[in-house]
Amino acid sequence: MPGTPETGEPAAAAPRPDLVLLGVFGAAHGVRGEVRLKSHTGDPAAIAGYGPLRTEAGRVFELVSVRPLKDDMLVARVKGISDRTAAEALTNLRLHVERAVLGEADAEEDEFFHADLIGLTAETADGNAFGTVLALFDFGAGDLLEIKPSDGGRSLFLPFTKAAVPVVDVRGGRLVVVPPAEIEGEPPPAAGQVDIEPAAPRRRGLGPPAR
């Protein structure tokens, strides 16, 4: 089976609902086998606490240690990876954990795991493409979704409320957004990575009506 251009891994037939994306390997870091790792867990370093992580193609990796680099980017040491060449081969590999490890969010209670939201396609109520969810932040006044616009440009920040995000379809890989009249183009000055237990599901706020 041919591999994907980005990773060389066999292409997965379809996203697996039994796996939750927790992070993505980036470029090699230094010459001793360390690699950059973008974490999607609430506390970035908590990704190392889930035990072995796997790709959709079945490769398994054990994180020996992680240390912060910037924001949600870490520097990771991976078991069995001891030189730069081996670390370079990890670039763009997506790391998952079995959903059973996280437990279940209560959809009826409008709860969603942080990691489930990352990568969802955002579209408007009339079905037009809006962007892709990059991250979830809590700046002290409620959760904000960081969305990369479909037409390019800098990220936009929308409140994660029922008014601004009326539909979240994790299994369908999408959410519907109703952008307020004014959309934040930059995080507030006190911006910081949301600091929550990564296994705790997030609940949308009610928020003010979208305009």
Side-chain angles (χ1 to χ4, degrees), residues 144-168:
L144 290 178
L145 289 176
E146 179 183 1
I147 298 178
K148 182 68 174 178
S150 298
D151 58 0
R154 63 183 183 179
S155 293
L156 303 174
F157 292 81
L158 293 180
F160 187 46
T161 64
K162 291 183 179 180
V165 189
V167 176
V168 179

Side-chain angles (χ1 to χ4, degrees), residues 19 61 132:
L19 298 179
F61 296 94
T132 303

Side-chain angles (χ1 to χ4, degrees), residues 2-211:
T4 63
E6 295 83 0
T7 67
E9 280 211 316
R16 290 183 47 179
D18 59 322
L19 298 179
V20 176
L21 177 67
L22 291 190
V24 182
F25 282 132
H29 187 84
V31 298
R32 298 183 178 181
E34 292 184 315
V35 60
R36 295 188 181 196
L37 172 61
K38 183 176 180 63
S39 174
H40 295 323
T41 56
D43 171 7
I47 191 173
Y50 287 97
L53 303 175
R54 57 172 296 165
T55 68
E56 286 191 312
R59 294 182 64 185
V60 177
F61 296 94
E62 181 177 338
L63 301 180
V64 177
S65 64
V66 296
R67 67 177 190 273
L69 182 62
K70 180 181 179 182
D71 298 329
D72 57 357
M73 187 66 71
L74 307 169
V75 174
R77 183 168 292 280
V78 183
K79 185 175 181 179
I81 303 298
S82 58
D83 59 50
R84 185 176 181 87
T85 299
E88 288 175 341
L90 303 182
T91 302
N92 291 331
L93 287 181
R94 294 155 62 88
L95 301 175
H96 304 76
V97 68
E98 291 186 1
R99 181 173 293 279
V101 174
L102 298 180
E104 291 294 334
D106 191 339
E108 292 186 0
E109 293 295 326
D110 209 40
E111 293 180 340
F112 308 94
F113 285 115
H114 180 122
D116 274 344
L117 300 172
I118 307 303
L120 293 185
T121 297
E123 58 186 46
T124 60
D126 55 6
N128 291 326
F130 187 80
T132 303
V133 178
L134 296 183
L136 174 71
F137 295 98
D138 181 358
F139 300 136
D143 292 332
L144 290 178
L145 289 176
E146 179 183 1
I147 298 178
K148 182 68 174 178
S150 298
D151 58 0
R154 63 183 183 179
S155 293
L156 303 174
F157 292 81
L158 293 180
F160 187 46
T161 64
K162 291 183 179 180
V165 189
V167 176
V168 179
D169 180 7
V170 173
R171 289 186 176 276
R174 59 186 279 274
L175 51 78
V176 174
V177 298
V178 181
E182 296 183 2
I183 301 177
E184 292 288 346
E186 298 179 356
Q193 175 70 35
V194 58
D195 185 16
I196 60 170
E197 181 64 26
R202 307 298 283 170
R203 181 178 284 117
R204 280 181 296 176
L206 294 176
R211 298 180 179 178

